[in-house]
């Protein structure tokens, strides 16, 4: 998506200037095409050089993004800011929701929607989840960025999908801005994270719109009901880490990304790749 945008800008720039030059001589109409070809050659050489510099042995990190679906525009702004930086380090996985329906739409999803076939993208059971997981793209693209993998779930399957996804990713980032007793789905997710994921690999985002008292109550109740198989049995409640995000200024975003990377570095080898 980023490469297509940049290509479109350069192509438009070259075309506009070639039209202004054509009044000098007709041959100048080709200057725009030539300039665009030179740009693409330089781009290819630059990316090839960067790929050689990249550490091939470095494990691509996989981040699971959970959130309150009701955040709307705030979800879009946060996702854009996070993806702009994180996608050079690893992929992002998330359960599709209405808040980011237009932000991360892909051509094949759009065509399925136009053709009335979007339902075939949805997960209904463990078998279809396994199929979607095999189709997910975790490799680095030619522009050195990783992709966003969305999982569309029917209402009877999203809990199963969540349980599987928390086990398949190196780090979990949960945006709890706007969290309140009405967010039953988030309550289930918090319980599942405490039961299934070492909390050292989980970071919760809050702000002034988060009902912190209810969040702490939810975490305490989940802790008391923790399964015997939970990796957090020997942990303390201090492992439940909150990141207060007031706004998306560069300093706050840098601190957030540093915290996420630190979480991802915790026992990466324990996650199935």
């Amino acid at each position: 998506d980023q490469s297509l945008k940049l290509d479109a800008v350069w192509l438009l720039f070259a075309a506009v200037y070639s039209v202004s030059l054509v009044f000098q001589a007709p041959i100048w109409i080709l200057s725009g095409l030539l300039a665009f070809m030179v740009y693409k050659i330089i781009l290819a050489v630059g990316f090839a050089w960067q790929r050689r510099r990249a550490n091939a042995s470095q494990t691509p990190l996989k981040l699971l993004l959970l959130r309150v679906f009701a955040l709307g525009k705030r979800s879009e702004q946060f996702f854009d800011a996070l993806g702009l930086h994180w996608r050079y380090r690893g992929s992002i996985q998330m359960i599709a929701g209405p808040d980011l329906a237009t932000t991360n739409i892909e051509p094949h999803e759009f065509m399925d929607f136009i053709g009335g076939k979007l339902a075939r993208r949805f997960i209904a059971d463990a078998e279809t989840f396994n199929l979607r997981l095999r189709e997910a793209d975790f490799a680095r693209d030619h522009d050195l960025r990783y992709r966003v993998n969305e999982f569309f779930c029917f209402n009877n399957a999203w809990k199963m999908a969540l349980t599987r996804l928390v086990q398949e990713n190196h780090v979990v980032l949960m945006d709890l801005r706007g969290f309140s007793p009405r967010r039953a789905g988030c309550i289930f997710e918090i319980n599942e994270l405490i039961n299934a994921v070492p909390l050292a690999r989980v970071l919760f985002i809050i702000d002034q719109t988060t009902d912190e008292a209810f969040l702490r109550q939810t975490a305490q109740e989940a802790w008391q009901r923790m399964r015997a198989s939970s990796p957090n049995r020997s942990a303390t409640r201090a492992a439940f880490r909150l990141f207060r995000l007031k706004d998306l200024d560069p300093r706050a975003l840098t601190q957030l990304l540093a915290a996420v990377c630190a979480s991802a570095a915790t026992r990466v080898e324990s996650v199935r790749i």
Side-chain angles (χ1 to χ4, degrees):
D1 55 335
Q2 184 172 266
S3 296
L4 288 174
K5 291 175 185 177
L6 292 174
D7 286 354
V9 169
W10 275 97
L11 184 59
L12 179 62
F13 174 85
V16 169
Y17 273 83
S18 66
V19 170
S20 64
L21 291 172
V22 76
F23 296 102
Q24 304 298 321
I27 193 64
W28 282 104
I29 194 65
L30 300 176
S31 62
L33 180 60
L34 178 61
F36 184 72
M37 292 174 60
V38 171
Y39 154 74
K40 292 295 289 183
I41 292 172
I42 294 175
L43 197 66
V45 172
F47 277 136
W49 177 64
Q50 287 289 347
R51 281 194 293 271
R52 284 198 298 269
R53 291 187 60 194
N55 186 0
S57 63
Q58 187 179 58
T59 302
L61 297 179
K62 297 190 289 186
L63 180 147
L64 175 62
L65 176 63
L66 305 175
R67 65 218 184 269
V68 175
F69 284 167
L71 289 176
K73 202 69 177 178
R74 296 169 68 198
S75 274
E76 293 184 10
Q77 294 170 348
F78 176 73
F79 177 78
D80 289 341
L82 175 69
L84 180 64
H85 301 279
W86 178 263
R87 290 178 62 188
Y88 287 100
R89 187 62 185 89
S91 60
I92 299 177
Q93 282 61 245
M94 61 183 183
I95 295 176
D99 56 332
L100 298 176
T102 59
T103 301
N104 194 49
I105 189 169
E106 296 183 356
H108 67 280
E109 295 169 353
F110 179 73
M111 295 306 298
D112 282 345
F113 173 75
I114 293 297
K117 301 177 181 178
L118 190 59
R120 67 184 182 182
R121 305 294 312 170
F122 278 71
I123 295 169
D125 49 34
E127 182 179 355
T128 51
F129 175 82
N130 291 333
L131 175 62
R132 296 291 170 260
L133 188 62
R134 289 195 297 270
E135 293 175 345
D137 193 342
F138 301 110
R140 193 196 302 262
D141 282 331
H142 76 281
D143 61 356
L144 306 180
R145 296 202 308 164
Y146 294 89
R147 298 199 177 192
V148 177
N149 295 300
E150 284 188 291
F151 294 84
F152 295 83
C153 299
F154 287 118
N155 194 48
N156 67 331
W158 75 267
K159 291 182 178 181
M160 177 275 299
L162 172 73
T163 301
R164 292 286 305 277
L165 284 172
V166 298
Q167 299 170 0
E168 297 287 341
N169 288 267
H170 297 111
V171 61
V172 180
L173 181 62
M174 188 170 187
D175 187 352
L176 288 175
R177 293 175 298 166
F179 177 73
S180 71
R182 294 180 296 171
R183 307 302 172 193
C186 291
I187 295 172
F188 172 83
E189 291 173 343
I190 292 171
N191 277 268
E192 189 60 30
L193 290 174
I194 290 177
N195 278 317
V197 185
L199 286 179
R201 294 199 283 110
V202 182
L203 187 64
F204 299 91
I205 297 175
I206 62 172
D207 69 357
Q208 68 278 5
T209 66
T210 305
D211 188 336
E212 286 192 52
F214 180 69
L215 173 58
R216 296 183 187 280
Q217 176 187 335
T218 301
Q220 182 178 8
E221 293 174 354
W223 201 274
Q224 293 171 350
R225 296 193 301 266
M226 186 191 306
R227 291 193 294 261
S229 60
S230 170
N232 297 304
R233 293 294 296 181
S234 59
T236 64
R237 293 180 186 177
F240 193 89
R241 297 182 305 134
L242 304 179
F243 186 94
R244 193 175 300 277
L245 184 66
K246 295 182 179 180
D247 48 48
L248 290 175
D249 64 85
R251 181 178 180 182
L253 189 59
T254 298
Q255 293 173 344
L256 174 62
L257 289 168
V260 174
C261 288
S263 299
T266 304
R267 295 188 63 82
V268 166
E269 69 274 8
S270 67
V271 179
R272 292 175 296 182
I273 303 300

